[in-house]
Amino acid sequence: MSELVFDIETQTADFGFDEAGLKKARVSVVVVYDYADGQYKTFMEENMAELWPLFEKADRVIGYNIVHFDLPVLNNYYSGDLLKLPNLDLILPVKEALGFRLKLNDIAKATLKVEKSADGLQAVRWWAEGNVEDIKKYCAQDVKVTKEIYEFGKKNKQLFYNNLSGDLIPFGVNFDMPATPSATAPGAPSSTGSLNLTLPF
């Protein structure tokens, strides 16, 4: 399978999270883990065009809260609609299993015994300071955590979280590729035929 796990960071946090607000968001860093070659790859706003062939060739793109944040923000730079690509937004099966959302860091602490190294607001502060290298490191670590949660859930069919009492609670997930790959976004078509592909095919 040619799958990608990715995460983005933004230059500011002064935008709303509705459709109009996300159109104002600008990317600082994108990091992708490419299962095709086992490499982490980093992209900046100025070389986003190099990112699209990876997305377009992937059997599935994977992340956490990508349907409602990452992909809409990346669409500000893309000539088509990335939400039409086959995707797995890990937050959706988590919410389906539990009836509520969890932060990625909460799942990571309970399931993997690791924590994220920072957060999105810290990445914004680093951008304002011109500290791009720390953003790249943080975003790459975020992708690594997301990748390991995906792999754990796919292998074990469950993840964990700690409830308010501190008890470790397992819950079932299914991260397998659907028999007929389709976009996760509600109402999205099952084919990428309507994408404006940047590759010559």
Side-chain angles (χ1 to χ4, degrees), residues 145-161:
V145 169
T146 305
K147 168 182 171 289
E148 290 177 356
I149 287 173
Y150 165 61
E151 291 174 351
F152 185 99
K154 188 173 183 180
K155 178 181 178 181
N156 298 287
K157 304 298 184 186
Q158 66 177 358
L159 297 172
F160 296 86
Y161 77 102

Side-chain angles (χ1 to χ4, degrees), residues 142-184:
D142 228 22
V143 171
K144 183 174 185 291
V145 169
T146 305
K147 168 182 171 289
E148 290 177 356
I149 287 173
Y150 165 61
E151 291 174 351
F152 185 99
K154 188 173 183 180
K155 178 181 178 181
N156 298 287
K157 304 298 184 186
Q158 66 177 358
L159 297 172
F160 296 86
Y161 77 102
N162 292 105
N163 65 13
L164 294 177
S165 300
D167 301 318
L168 189 65
I169 308 298
F171 60 95
V173 292
N174 183 1
F175 295 158
D176 290 341
M177 178 76 79
T180 302
S182 62
T184 301

Side-chain angles (χ1 to χ4, degrees), residues 4-11 26-34 37 39-57 74 77 127 132-133 135-137 139-140 143:
L4 301 177
V5 181
F6 78 99
D7 185 46
I8 74 170
E9 302 303 328
T10 56
Q11 298 175 16
R26 308 300 299 176
V27 166
S28 61
V29 170
V30 181
V31 174
V32 169
Y33 177 81
D34 188 349
D37 58 14
Q39 298 294 314
Y40 288 89
K41 301 167 185 179
T42 303
F43 303 86
M44 302 286 291
E45 187 177 37
E46 58 267 24
N47 64 338
M48 296 281 281
E50 300 171 21
L51 176 63
W52 309 139
L54 294 177
F55 271 62
E56 293 166 357
K57 289 189 296 183
L74 290 179
Y77 300 88
W127 180 261
V132 176
E133 289 308 308
I135 302 175
K136 291 179 179 179
K137 291 175 185 176
C139 194
V143 171

Side-chain angles (χ1 to χ4, degrees), residues 79-95:
S79 59
D81 184 359
L82 294 169
L83 286 164
K84 293 178 180 177
L85 291 173
N87 65 67
L88 172 62
D89 188 341
L90 300 181
I91 201 172
L92 297 180
V94 169
K95 184 180 179 182

